[in-house]
Amino acid sequence: MRFMLIPRPSTPEPTPAPADAPFDEAVFIAQMKFNEEMHKAGVLVASEGLSASAAGAHVIFKGGKSDVKDGPFTETKELIGGFYVLEVKSKEEAIAWARRYPGGMGNDDVMEVRPLTGPDDIPAEFLELIKKAAPTWSESFHKKAP
């Protein structure tokens, strides 16, 4: 089973660090060791950190049209720090890894644990539509459709 772990601050209001705040090397090293532990255990499929929201954008769809809102995004609920994709045997195992996360880069953290949708989660008729609409992508889908 694949799960995405999504770290994010839990504080309702953003608490930006001052520009001259010292870098917390101990926390950073703890997070890199967390990555290394998952990699060595063979459960880490992918992980990436995200750059500051000032470099990003939101593409908003409404009424059949799209609009772009450039960052930065100031509401903490809009921000995530990155993601991990794990291949584990159960939700409980994914949660066990999430509990090992060394949070604390300036906020109290929440680690969201979300299962990824796989072919076994999709009705057969939708799998057939996926094959017709996106034949090359459907081949790369984690498992082949029945």
Side-chain angles (χ1 to χ4, degrees):
M1 302 176 74
R2 287 185 180 215
F3 288 85
M4 182 175 275
L5 306 184
I6 308 164
R8 61 178 172 81
S10 66
T11 51
E13 295 297 321
T15 54
D20 60 349
F23 173 70
D24 192 335
E25 185 175 317
V27 171
F28 182 78
I29 288 171
Q31 290 180 332
M32 295 304 102
K33 285 183 177 184
F34 175 68
N35 295 354
E36 183 74 1
E37 288 172 18
M38 290 187 297
H39 180 53
K40 283 183 174 179
V43 300
L44 186 62
V45 174
S47 66
E48 295 289 338
L50 297 175
S51 297
S53 70
H58 283 173
V59 179
I60 303 153
F61 300 91
K62 186 174 182 178
K65 296 183 181 190
S66 65
D67 194 20
V68 176
K69 178 183 173 188
D70 286 324
F73 307 108
T74 57
E75 289 189 47
T76 302
K77 67 181 182 181
E78 295 179 341
L79 302 178
I80 64 171
F83 69 89
Y84 303 92
V85 176
L86 306 184
E87 178 83 42
V88 293
K89 293 180 179 132
S90 66
K91 178 180 174 185
E92 292 73 25
E93 186 179 353
I95 290 170
W97 279 108
R99 292 185 76 161
R100 295 172 69 173
Y101 177 74
M105 294 282 264
N107 289 294
D108 291 335
D109 292 326
V110 170
M111 180 66 83
E112 186 174 344
V113 178
R114 300 272 306 270
L116 296 179
T117 302
D120 294 341
D121 302 315
I122 299 173
E125 61 270 19
F126 289 169
L127 288 172
E128 288 303 316
L129 286 173
I130 290 169
K131 282 183 183 180
K132 288 178 184 174
T136 58
W137 178 79
S138 69
E139 289 295 317
S140 69
F141 204 44
H142 185 59
K143 294 180 191 173
K144 302 259 190 289

